[in-house]
Amino acid sequence: MSEVTIVGGGIVGICSAISLQSEGHSVEVIDRGLDTEGASYGNCGLLAVGEVVPISKPGILPKIPKWILDPQSPLFVRPKDLVGQMPWLLRFLWSGRRKRVLEIASGMAPLLHRAEDDYRALFDKVDIADKLVPTENIMAFNSKADYEADRFTWDLRDSQDFKHRFLGTEELRSLEPGLGGPITCGVLLQGWLQFSEPGVIRQRLLEFFVANGGKLRVGSADRIETQGGKAVAIHLIGGERLAVNQVVVCAGAWSGKLSKDLGLKVPIAALQGYHHHVPNPGVKLNHAVLYANGGFVLTPMESGLRIGGTIEVAGLDPRPNFARADLIAQKALKVLPGLDISGGKQWMGPRPFMPDTMPVLDRAPHHNNVVLAFGHGQVGMTLGATTGKIVADLVAGRRPAIDLSPYRVTRF
Ligand SMILES: Cc1cc2nc3c(=O)[nH]c(=O)nc-3n(C[C@H](O)[C@H](O)[C@H](O)COP(=O)(O)OP(=O)(O)OC[C@H]3O[C@@H](n4cnc5c(N)ncnc54)[C@H](O)[C@@H]3O)c2cc1C
């Protein structure tokens, strides 16, 4: 068994750490601040199993001028970042052509079909089975026409065996009496479940890892030193040099810089998201609700109601623009009469996004003791446990249960 060093202690890093530890490896996780509240803390907590369709898809092009010009749009590009992000944006748009989107959906489906089972097995092992809430998600719309307008997405999900059921006004009201305002209908997203609270889950997984002999190191990996086709050390900011045997890079949106040390140019972007988390919302939701017309999600969690979402293209470590969190909180007031948003805590964090929305799950091509696992976009929480199992296969040199060719690092 090897000594494995994992860079990044988000959901992908910690699930990988537990998988490797279970196979007898000695594992150390390096994270630059374990109380850093990254995407694995602040996400909307959906086990979004049917999310096979990328954000860039046919019909997106005409919407772009509005996104760029309107700071209130669900996907906004900060004007000063437009030029710098242009190469990534062009690749993102190019990935949205029909033929490629069909390939992406087929590429994502095998991962997403395994997500629930892999989490159930992991959560049973860690004794946190209750953290996966067995309630399906609802997507809400202002009108049936709004639902029908995305027929392409629904048919594509359906073709990959991710089903949904339309809910008319009455049925929606009986499931979610708290919803109101302009919402008139919805769909039940069958098989999509919910995490009780992502930050709590990550913490419980970390505690399990440490209790079973795993090592955690607070430090920021500055570069990977290589020699003769292998990674030999990780240099931390501050000067410390850690000799390594096997390395897993799962530093989320920050993985691009470390990949450069391995001779790889990886087109990964940080698509910033926001939340406004309310401790005492004063209204009850029975399901997580994705509000399609508003571009945000309402998720009832252990510590209150999370209003989360929006996408902002603003580079890797931008200063937060909490006007975007205010915006979704204000929109939520319109669809949840009686909602109290006072005392809410706001947060920003980056989705690690490849232009085609698919993750990188691969061995580094020229350094065979390095595994790459990052770029999970809007479904990184969903795919944590499945990725952890694949990482363990790659480290062991086993053939994983699914074909990994769609997720090759060299696909661009
Ligand atoms: C608003 C929002 C809502 C979302 N909702 C959902 C959802 O409902 N369902 C879903 O499946 N997904 C969702 N996502 C996406 C999901 O949160 C991410 O895909 C996932 O958390 C990525 O996990 P990760 O471990 O790859 O990265 P991260 O969580 O970003 O973790 C990376 C870790 O690496 C560390 N790190 C980075 N660089 C270094 C370095 N050089 N040295 C040491 N450590 C380093 C960081 O400190 C961080 O802890 C959402 C994202 C956002 C922003």
Side-chain angles (χ1 to χ4, degrees):
M1 290 299 139
S2 334
E3 286 173 11
V4 187
T5 306
I6 297 182
V7 184
I11 192 69
V12 172
I14 192 60
C15 290
S16 301
I18 293 176
S19 278
L20 288 161
Q21 183 180 56
S22 312
E23 296 195 0
H25 299 285
S26 156
V27 185
E28 175 163 24
V29 174
I30 305 175
D31 197 288
R32 61 186 184 187
L34 289 161
D35 50 357
T36 308
E37 295 175 343
S40 299
Y41 158 85
N43 66 69
C44 295
L46 309 182
L47 185 84
V49 293
E51 199 60 301
V52 287
V53 185
I55 295 171
S56 177
K57 59 188 176 187
I60 197 182
L61 260 178
K63 297 182 183 159
I64 287 181
K66 181 170 157 45
W67 289 349
I68 292 170
L69 296 172
D70 178 7
Q72 304 214 338
S73 66
L75 195 163
F76 176 60
V77 184
R78 285 195 197 172
K80 73 171 185 44
D81 292 294
L82 185 58
V83 173
Q85 297 291 324
M86 193 51 82
W88 185 89
L89 283 166
L90 290 174
R91 279 191 157 124
F92 173 73
L93 292 174
W94 181 237
S95 298
R97 61 205 193 280
R98 192 184 169 82
K99 180 171 171 285
R100 182 68 185 131
V101 169
L102 300 182
E103 286 168 5
I104 292 168
S106 310
M108 290 302 286
L111 290 174
L112 289 162
H113 274 300
R114 292 173 44 158
E116 181 186 344
D117 287 350
D118 290 338
Y119 264 115
R120 288 211 183 279
L122 175 66
F123 283 10
D124 281 349
K125 187 198 309 237
V126 179
D127 200 16
I128 54 168
D130 59 321
K131 302 287 177 201
L132 191 59
V133 183
T135 312
E136 290 175 323
N137 305 165
I138 286 176
M139 189 176 286
F141 297 92
N142 290 355
S143 69
K144 191 164 186 192
D146 293 331
Y147 155 69
E148 289 290 356
D150 210 8
R151 174 60 38 211
F152 172 78
T153 296
W154 296 115
D155 290 347
L156 193 45
R157 284 185 181 146
D158 207 56
S159 73
Q160 296 295 337
D161 213 18
F162 296 108
K163 305 292 180 199
H164 70 284
R165 188 165 68 75
F166 185 77
L167 305 168
T169 308
E170 248 174 60
E171 197 178 358
L172 179 63
R173 292 273 179 271
S174 72
L175 290 171
E176 279 303 349
L179 286 179
I183 291 175
T184 65
C185 59
V187 300
L188 191 68
L189 297 161
Q190 292 165 327
W192 295 44
L193 301 178
Q194 196 210 308
F195 296 98
S196 63
E197 181 131 358
V200 174
I201 289 169
R202 176 174 172 254
Q203 187 55 35
R204 293 289 295 274
L205 294 172
L206 279 168
E207 284 163 10
F208 176 88
F209 169 65
V210 173
N212 285 280
K215 283 179 255 165
L216 282 179
R217 182 187 292 265
V218 177
S220 192
D222 189 29
R223 72 181 177 90
I224 301 175
E225 180 188 333
T226 61
Q227 209 176 73
K230 281 196 175 309
V232 292
I234 289 176
H235 293 255
L236 301 185
I237 289 178
E240 201 173 349
R241 179 184 183 277
L242 309 173
V244 293
N245 181 266
Q246 297 263 2
V247 176
V248 184
V249 177
C250 35
W254 296 273
S255 302
K257 183 174 175 291
L258 295 169
S259 302
K260 270 192 200 150
D261 300 334
L262 305 166
L264 299 166
K265 212 171 162 203
V266 179
I268 185 166
L271 299 195
Q272 305 296 334
Y274 290 83
H275 79 218
H276 183 100
H277 189 97
V278 193
N280 298 302
V283 285
K284 184 173 175 293
L285 277 180
N286 303 314
H287 308 74
V289 176
L290 299 86
Y291 178 38
N293 297 80
F296 64 90
V297 181
L298 299 159
T299 313
M301 294 191 179
E302 288 178 25
S303 66
L305 180 72
R306 181 160 297 176
I307 307 160
T310 90
I311 298 177
E312 188 182 39
V313 182
L316 191 51
D317 286 305
R319 208 180 302 176
N321 167 18
F322 284 122
R324 290 191 68 76
D326 291 337
L327 182 72
I328 51 176
Q330 289 302 323
K331 284 186 182 176
L333 287 170
K334 298 198 174 118
V335 295
L336 259 186
L339 171 66
D340 179 0
I341 58 168
S342 61
K345 191 175 161 212
Q346 297 189 326
W347 166 92
M348 179 194 78
R351 299 172 185 83
F353 237 91
M354 302 298 289
D356 60 4
T357 315
M358 286 198 285
V360 169
L361 303 172
D362 202 356
R363 276 193 165 276
H366 311 298
H367 299 90
N368 67 6
N369 65 337
V370 182
V371 168
L372 309 168
F374 53 75
H376 293 70
Q378 77 270 38
V379 288
M381 189 69 206
T382 303
L383 292 179
T386 301
T387 302
K389 288 182 70 175
I390 291 171
V391 165
D393 287 339
L394 289 171
V395 168
R398 282 191 304 265
R399 184 193 285 269
I402 61 171
D403 170 25
L404 296 189
S405 58
Y407 329 116
R408 274 195 304 256
V409 68
T410 50
R411 67 184 185 268
F412 290 95

